[in-house]
Amino acid sequence: MTRVTSKPWLVLIRLSKKQRRNFLLGALGIAIGLGVWLALVYFKLVPKYALPTPVELGKLWQRESPRLLYNIWLTVMRALCGFALGSIMALFVTFIRSWIPVIDTFIEPIVQIFKPVPPLVLSPFMIIWFGSNNKGVITLAIWGSFFLMLVEGHEALKATPLVYLRAASTLGESKLGMRLRVMFPAAIPHLIGAMRITLLLGINLVILGEFSAAAGGIGEIIVHGYRFLRPDLLFFGVLVGIAVAVVLDLLVRIISIRLRRWV
Amino acid sequence: MDEVIVVEKVSKVYASERGPVHAIDRFSMKVKEGDFVAIVGPSGCGKTTLLWGLTGLHPFNGGKAYILGEEVDKPRKDVGIIFQQANLLPWRNILQNVLFPIEIMKENIADYEERVKDLLDSVELTGFENHYPRELSGGMQQRVSIVRALSYDPKVLLMDEPFGALDAYTRDEMDTLLLGIWKKTKKTIAFVTHRIEEAVYLANKVYVMTPRPGTNSAVFDIDLPRPRPEGITMEQKYFEIVAEIKKRIVKDVEKQKEEGVYQSQAYSTVT
Ligand SMILES: Nc1ncnc2c1ncn2[C@@H]1O[C@H](COP(=O)(O)OP(=O)(O)O)[C@@H](O)[C@H]1O
Ligand SMILES: [Mg+2]
């Protein structure tokens, strides 16, 4: 674990020797990737329509940055909305399930049926039902986040160590208190892990949804580049998609350092 | 009120996959106000079951148990419980852990902060308020759990092998510390242990339970000076009492074997 400070973002600056080495190695990896890219395009090892040169990318940015930024924003906003709404709904249902056993019994088979369905299979329905717009794409992300978080949340609550329940119950803890003061806090490390996976799934689903929705976003940039043989657009879309995933994941990690400093 | 804990012929049968387990059979005891009573018996004889019965969460199947004159049927604010594991909540720092009961009981935290800080001081944990449990040794954690049990000032303390998980040296220290707390706070204590040496050192009265199903075997009044002098555990008198109780337990086991009712305790849960 990295050291905990009152300013969590400092972990990015204050690195140990080992972390600095890892960081340098990571940077080296990226540099090699860049090198390969440059070699491929300038020595014409791949056809021109398959990879853009950095100069072409620069020009693309110069020409169309407002539109590109707007599309990135669309994707990020959709992913965050889908992730947040889906997770909150799932945690709410998890709470209800833990409260009322009958509901748990009722929900379990539904979860078992829908959990293995790849959310993407449902994307045509989402778009037909909710439209080629924010609603359709976000609903897809909500769907995926919801089921993932539902399964994880349920597992996490069930795994509450008996000793904590015991400590609280001998003090006469109420049913509500048991959940709010014991079960959910105890589940935090597990839930944070689940949140990271859920957020990445959310980004994935949004971009994939955008492939077919024609409602803007990074997904549409990629499809556009592909359809009109615009390697600059295609490449830009892919790079930005990766960057968004990496940055959002990093943000969740930084936020979670505080939440799980007791681990 | 003189008798704080009254246990009248309580029994407990667990249903298990291997059939019913008679854990306790018509066990009785009385603990006077301000008294320190120890309950000893071989592992698996039902000591933990007895204490759980007194918490009101896992009721006995037969007999009756009273605390402060009321029949026990739910957790009480005038009873504090300390287990073998400290059971601290790892996401709460030490201060938040010892204030946990106050939160549950919906009392005003501010009214208790002073008291809790004094208690932490008395177990030499001042300065650790903001630490998390994982940063503390086993002995320190158990001291925190004692403070947690005392935080709401219960009249009665029930302790289930509280120092059983600690190393021998720390355990002896904790025993002495506990006697100090008892003297100062005048609590009524029922202390379960399988270590006879510990029981004799701590208690005024030692109840011996037979092997499973646990029932009354004998009661020993411990006639040693209070407060316990240094080095008491090296003295002839102390050894004699310990030996007498040990003999009693060996005799109980032999008697059960002769009658063919002795059950190996191999499956007993150490809880
Ligand atoms: N939940 C349970 N289900 C079945 N048997 C149990 C359960 N809890 C305890 N027992 C059995 O009851 C007996 C008494 O257990 P316990 O009270 O834990 O003994 P002790 O604390 O003296 O070691 C043991 O033989 C144990 O195996
Ligand atoms: Mg026990």
Side-chain angles (χ1 to χ4, degrees):
Chain A
M1 258 287 317
T2 35
R3 265 165 307 166
V4 179
T5 63
S6 55
K7 301 188 180 76
W9 57 88
L10 280 185
V11 294
L12 296 180
I13 306 165
R14 266 197 234 148
L15 299 173
S16 69
K17 217 170 189 174
K18 188 169 162 226
Q19 285 167 328
R20 196 167 300 140
R21 201 199 58 195
N22 291 348
F23 182 77
L24 286 176
L25 279 176
L28 185 67
I30 292 174
I32 290 177
L34 273 175
V36 171
W37 173 23
L38 294 179
L40 286 178
V41 290
Y42 287 114
F43 296 115
K44 305 212 163 40
L45 299 175
V46 291
K48 212 172 152 28
Y49 59 82
L51 263 187
T53 63
V55 176
E56 283 170 329
L57 272 192
K59 278 188 188 147
L60 172 71
W61 182 252
Q62 231 174 15
R63 264 187 339 231
E64 307 191 40
S65 62
R67 196 170 69 88
L68 294 173
L69 277 174
Y70 175 68
N71 280 301
I72 296 171
W73 150 249
L74 274 182
T75 297
V76 170
M77 181 270 294
R78 288 167 180 165
L80 288 177
C81 281
F83 159 76
L85 291 173
S87 303
I88 290 169
M89 278 160 49
L91 289 178
F92 181 72
V93 175
T94 303
F95 181 89
I96 303 284
R97 282 175 89 174
S98 84
W99 191 276
I100 309 170
V102 180
I103 292 197
D104 186 38
T105 323
F106 167 75
I107 287 180
E108 189 56 27
I110 303 179
V111 177
Q112 290 307 329
I113 292 169
F114 282 105
K115 187 182 65 175
V117 177
L120 208 56
V121 170
L122 300 166
S123 77
F125 287 106
M126 299 292 175
I127 292 176
I128 293 169
W129 290 345
F130 298 99
S132 247
N133 49 31
N134 277 338
K135 240 197 275 167
V137 177
I138 292 175
T139 311
L140 186 64
I142 292 179
W143 178 277
S145 307
F146 177 76
F147 278 103
L148 187 56
M149 207 62 185
L150 193 60
V151 173
E152 293 293 328
H154 186 62
E155 290 291 318
L157 281 208
K158 270 204 306 197
T160 317
L162 202 61
V163 287
Y164 306 156
L165 298 175
R166 214 190 253 172
S169 62
T170 54
L171 292 164
E173 180 63 289
S174 66
K175 203 171 166 182
L176 180 65
M178 196 61 104
R179 276 150 193 80
L180 297 185
R181 267 190 291 259
V182 182
M183 295 166 72
F184 275 97
I188 283 177
H190 190 142
L191 291 179
I192 287 173
M195 263 171 61
R196 284 181 59 189
I197 306 172
T198 308
L199 182 58
L200 291 181
L201 177 71
I203 298 170
N204 257 311
L205 288 177
V206 166
I207 293 181
L208 292 172
E210 286 164 354
F211 279 2
S212 46
I218 296 175
E220 210 190 355
I221 297 181
I222 294 174
V223 171
H224 217 79
Y226 171 71
R227 216 174 272 153
F228 300 103
L229 281 184
R230 287 269 309 274
D232 53 344
L233 269 186
L234 182 60
F235 202 66
F236 179 84
V238 172
L239 277 184
V240 165
I242 295 171
V244 164
V246 169
V247 168
L248 288 185
D249 188 49
L250 192 67
L251 278 180
V252 175
R253 274 164 71 180
I254 290 174
I255 293 168
S256 67
I257 288 175
R258 269 230 98 135
L259 273 174
R260 44 170 297 157
R261 70 202 144 161
W262 49 272
V263 174
Chain B
M1 184 152 331
D2 199 32
E3 239 99 57
V4 171
I5 305 175
V6 178
V7 174
E8 276 176 4
K9 298 193 175 151
V10 295
S11 302
K12 177 81 183 186
V13 182
Y14 288 109
S16 80
E17 287 141 33
R18 286 183 290 275
V21 179
H22 280 260
I24 307 186
D25 185 27
R26 283 164 292 170
F27 181 82
S28 303
M29 79 174 182
K30 283 182 175 166
V31 187
K32 287 205 182 84
E33 184 170 356
D35 209 355
F36 197 135
V37 164
I39 300 125
V40 300
S43 235
C45 74
K47 303 181 297 292
T48 297
T49 305
L50 175 70
L51 278 205
W52 271 105
L54 288 174
T55 65
L57 288 170
H58 298 274
F60 299 112
N61 305 122
K64 293 216 182 311
Y66 303 87
I67 287 181
L68 293 156
E70 291 172 52
E71 197 168 342
V72 179
D73 58 355
K74 59 174 180 303
R76 302 171 56 102
K77 289 187 184 185
D78 40 25
V79 176
I81 299 163
I82 296 159
F83 301 98
Q84 180 165 346
Q85 292 95 6
N87 287 355
L88 303 179
L89 304 178
W91 57 91
R92 287 172 166 252
N93 66 26
I94 299 312
L95 187 63
Q96 292 165 338
N97 259 291
V98 297
L99 288 170
F100 184 53
I102 314 298
E103 263 179 54
I104 292 182
M105 293 169 185
K106 299 197 172 61
E107 306 277 341
N108 187 357
I109 303 270
D111 296 345
Y112 285 83
E113 253 173 52
E114 194 71 14
R115 173 186 165 73
V116 153
K117 290 206 167 139
D118 284 348
L119 283 168
L120 281 174
D121 190 45
S122 71
V123 297
E124 290 160 26
L125 281 175
T126 301
F128 287 93
E129 290 88 347
N130 296 323
H131 285 56
Y132 284 91
R134 70 171 153 79
E135 300 171 294
L136 270 56
S137 70
M140 290 160 98
Q141 292 193 17
Q142 198 53 284
R143 266 142 57 197
V144 176
S145 98
I146 293 174
V147 171
R148 180 175 65 185
L150 290 169
S151 65
Y152 49 102
D153 205 13
K155 294 199 172 63
V156 182
L157 280 187
L158 304 177
M159 309 180 84
D160 187 6
E161 310 206 22
F163 312 136
L166 305 176
D167 62 272
Y169 176 73
T170 313
R171 203 163 55 201
D172 292 348
E173 268 188 351
M174 297 289 285
D175 283 339
T176 309
L177 185 107
L178 178 62
L179 282 185
I181 290 175
W182 177 58
K183 189 174 166 220
K184 209 167 77 183
T185 59
K186 306 194 167 60
K187 304 287 174 203
T188 306
I189 300 182
F191 187 101
V192 159
T193 176
H194 66 265
R195 288 185 60 244
I196 292 132
E197 292 84 352
E198 185 177 40
V200 172
Y201 176 69
L202 291 173
N204 291 330
K205 210 183 216 187
V206 175
Y207 279 84
V208 179
M209 283 176 104
T210 64
R212 192 178 75 210
T215 187
N216 291 88
S217 163
V219 187
F220 292 84
D221 285 307
I222 309 302
D223 186 18
L224 293 173
R226 290 275 188 201
R228 298 284 194 251
E230 279 241 13
I232 181 88
T233 54
M234 317 276 196
E235 281 177 24
Q236 183 73 13
K237 182 110 192 262
Y238 171 83
F239 284 132
E240 277 169 11
I241 302 174
V242 170
E244 205 185 336
I245 298 178
K246 282 189 176 168
K247 268 187 222 150
R248 177 80 210 185
I249 290 176
V250 171
K251 224 168 79 189
D252 288 338
V253 172
E254 269 163 11
K255 191 165 153 246
Q256 279 201 357
K257 280 185 177 158
E258 263 167 39
E259 292 168 1
V261 295
Y262 182 73
Q263 297 154 307
S264 160
Q265 307 292 323
Y267 291 112
S268 82
T269 48
V270 184
T271 43

